[in-house]
Amino acid sequence: MQVAKDLPARGGEAVAVDMEAVCEKVSLMVSGNAVVVFTISGCCMCHVVKQLLFGLGVGPTIVELDRHASGSAIHALLSRLAGAAGRRQQVVPAVFVGGKFLGGIETVMACHINGTLVPLLKDAGALWL
């Protein structure tokens, strides 16, 4: 497992966030890793998704938004993405596989149950067997 980190804002100062820069940061993160999971520490559904992926042998990149300097801006971006995808779901966990937005807990569990999750993970290079 890899946890993405960013330096916190100095002295707790409010920092104006450039949404374009946040979008670029997220894009680079999801395109550079086979599986990325955006979570909030202490979220039980985030824990379920992480445990499912670990159980399958996947080592996802985990981004804990409440511990990331750009976490609130990334959360806002993910909220837009989930809404644009026509999904009425919680923003986290947000799972990206092979650089593409898969969805949240409902989508991941549905893919696992119907047998499409493992092939997606193999195609993304997250599983070798």
Side-chain angles (χ1 to χ4, degrees):
M1 171 182 78
Q2 183 179 14
V3 178
K5 297 180 182 177
D6 202 6
L7 297 175
R10 287 186 217 154
E13 299 170 358
V15 177
V17 178
D18 177 11
M19 232 16 190
E20 197 170 304
V22 171
C23 186
E24 180 67 21
K25 182 183 289 190
V26 169
S27 179
L28 286 171
M29 206 178 305
V30 302
S31 66
N33 296 284
V35 179
V36 180
V37 182
F38 292 92
T39 69
I40 293 178
S41 58
C43 167
C44 62
M45 291 299 110
C46 296
H47 178 74
V48 168
V49 165
K50 290 187 286 188
Q51 289 306 116
L52 171 63
L53 292 170
F54 294 147
L56 292 172
V58 175
T61 297
I62 307 292
V63 181
E64 291 187 342
L65 298 177
D66 56 330
R67 297 183 179 175
H68 196 281
S70 303
S72 58
I74 294 171
H75 191 275
L77 178 66
L78 294 172
S79 180
R80 289 183 190 172
L81 182 61
R87 299 179 174 127
R88 295 181 50 95
Q89 65 182 16
Q90 296 294 324
V91 175
V92 292
V95 181
F96 289 78
V97 177
K100 297 178 184 166
F101 181 56
L102 178 61
I105 184 74
E106 294 170 357
T107 306
V108 173
M109 292 306 287
C111 288
H112 179 57
I113 291 167
N114 70 24
T116 59
L117 183 59
V118 169
L120 281 174
L121 295 169
K122 285 181 180 177
D123 289 346
L127 289 175
W128 295 275
L129 300 174

